[in-house]
Amino acid sequence: MRRAQLKVVSPAGRAGIHVLEGEQCTVGRAAPHHEPDIVLAPDPQGWVSRLHCILDLEYGHWWVTDHARNGTLLQPADPGGEIRALRGREPLRHGDTLLVLGDMVSEEELLYWRLTYVDAHATRPAPPRHADGWDGERERAAVRYDVVGSRVYRTGGEREVLVEGLRPKGHQLLRHMTGRGTGLPGVEAVTCEHDELIAALWRPPREWPPGRGYDRTDLAGVVRAVRRCVEPDPGDPRVLETVPTIGYRLYVHQGPVPRGDGHAHRID
């Protein structure tokens, strides 16, 4: 079976091909105990983030989500398409190119890493881009967090349900992750690293009581409890997913949710 690929060209013009295998591909810089699937190096000026962006496979299409402190640009394959910043999670089309700043010679001369998406089945239609996501995204289960009322709703399709049974740490986890979204309408994927979530739940390590520590095992316990409340099937998580070696990804619904009867429904 033919697989999609990324053609990677460095700022110096060196080119290579990365075959997209599995269901996820991470892009960024190498660090102790962390090496993404695609390492963008050398990076003498420090423009590349440890986790710069994530590509993931869903419904037969590859998507990209930006996680970089300096941002990721998208150069569409469409004729006349303008280069723009990635926002949230977006589908990739054959020929789309991701631009990652690799060197700034001067304000007028910027050199980029170029990652061009090569669809092995380019004749297959890609999901359309809409401000509120594509049709399949509206069917995806996600969570909406009402900060004012401290209420959590699971959304999907034309309805939403009120989630009950969350403990305080579960609320803290969801509040933090939903707050990391862009706020743009629709469903977006928010990925947070293990250390970030541990600090969000139990404060930074320097503030821990003497002799007390928290690690990924403690975090995993909170995640399991949240999944029991928000997942349609906790054994097959689709709302709060594991990102191997990185952390967790939460699908967040921003903005109003259409409801067939105008009411939120409780989960019994």
Side-chain angles (χ1 to χ4, degrees):
M1 181 180 69
R2 294 181 300 167
R3 299 184 183 277
Q5 301 175 343
L6 279 182
K7 180 181 178 182
V8 181
V9 180
S10 74
R14 292 187 297 272
I17 296 292
H18 181 89
V19 178
L20 295 174
E21 300 179 309
E23 297 185 351
Q24 180 180 278
C25 175
T26 55
V27 179
R29 62 175 171 82
H33 311 296
H34 167 76
E35 182 167 329
D37 299 306
I38 299 178
V39 177
L40 302 184
D43 178 34
Q45 296 179 349
W47 292 106
V48 181
S49 295
R50 179 176 179 270
L51 178 61
H52 207 92
C53 61
I54 294 178
L55 284 77
D56 65 282
L57 180 66
E58 184 176 60
Y59 302 119
H61 296 283
W62 282 93
W63 299 70
V64 61
T65 307
D66 177 47
H67 293 278
R69 64 181 183 278
N70 294 315
T72 304
L73 301 180
L74 175 67
Q75 183 176 15
D78 304 332
E82 295 184 356
I83 297 175
R84 60 178 176 79
L86 279 177
R87 290 185 173 86
R89 181 172 181 259
E90 299 193 34
L92 286 170
R93 296 172 181 266
H94 175 68
D96 282 353
T97 298
L98 303 174
L99 302 177
V100 175
L101 185 59
D103 197 1
M104 180 181 288
V105 179
S106 67
E107 291 185 359
E108 291 76 27
E109 187 176 0
L110 306 178
L111 303 180
Y112 288 91
W113 290 87
R114 300 177 62 86
L115 291 76
T116 301
Y117 175 65
V118 180
D119 189 349
H121 305 279
T123 57
R124 181 183 58 201
R129 292 189 178 108
H130 297 297
D132 60 348
W134 67 297
D135 291 344
E137 278 293 270
R138 287 199 292 269
E139 298 300 323
R140 159 176 279 288
V143 295
R144 180 174 69 84
Y145 200 98
D146 174 11
V147 177
V148 176
S150 293
R151 295 185 179 90
V152 180
Y153 299 90
R154 188 178 74 216
T155 68
E158 299 298 316
R159 66 195 298 268
E160 66 177 14
V161 293
L162 176 65
V163 175
E164 296 183 302
L166 283 168
R167 299 184 64 82
K169 287 299 179 190
H171 275 276
Q172 289 179 348
L173 179 77
L174 295 179
R175 286 175 75 102
H176 178 81
M177 296 189 76
T178 55
R180 292 273 273 102
T182 63
L184 295 173
V187 175
E188 66 175 304
V190 175
T191 301
C192 295
E193 299 183 25
H194 293 109
D195 291 345
E196 175 187 349
L197 293 174
I198 290 171
L201 294 176
W202 293 287
R203 300 182 180 180
R206 63 180 179 275
E207 299 182 25
W208 293 346
R212 186 65 172 98
Y214 302 93
D215 55 24
R216 296 183 184 184
T217 301
D218 300 290
L219 176 59
V222 175
V223 168
R224 284 195 299 271
V226 170
R227 284 173 172 166
R228 286 195 292 269
C229 296
V230 304
E231 295 285 358
D233 179 5
D236 181 24
R238 301 284 291 167
V239 177
L240 181 56
E241 298 176 338
T242 299
V243 181
T245 76
I246 300 294
Y248 295 95
R249 175 170 54 229
L250 179 70
Y251 288 91
V252 179
H253 190 111
Q254 305 282 7
V257 178
R259 308 181 186 95
D261 57 5
H263 298 283
H265 300 265
R266 295 178 180 271
I267 296 178
D268 295 327

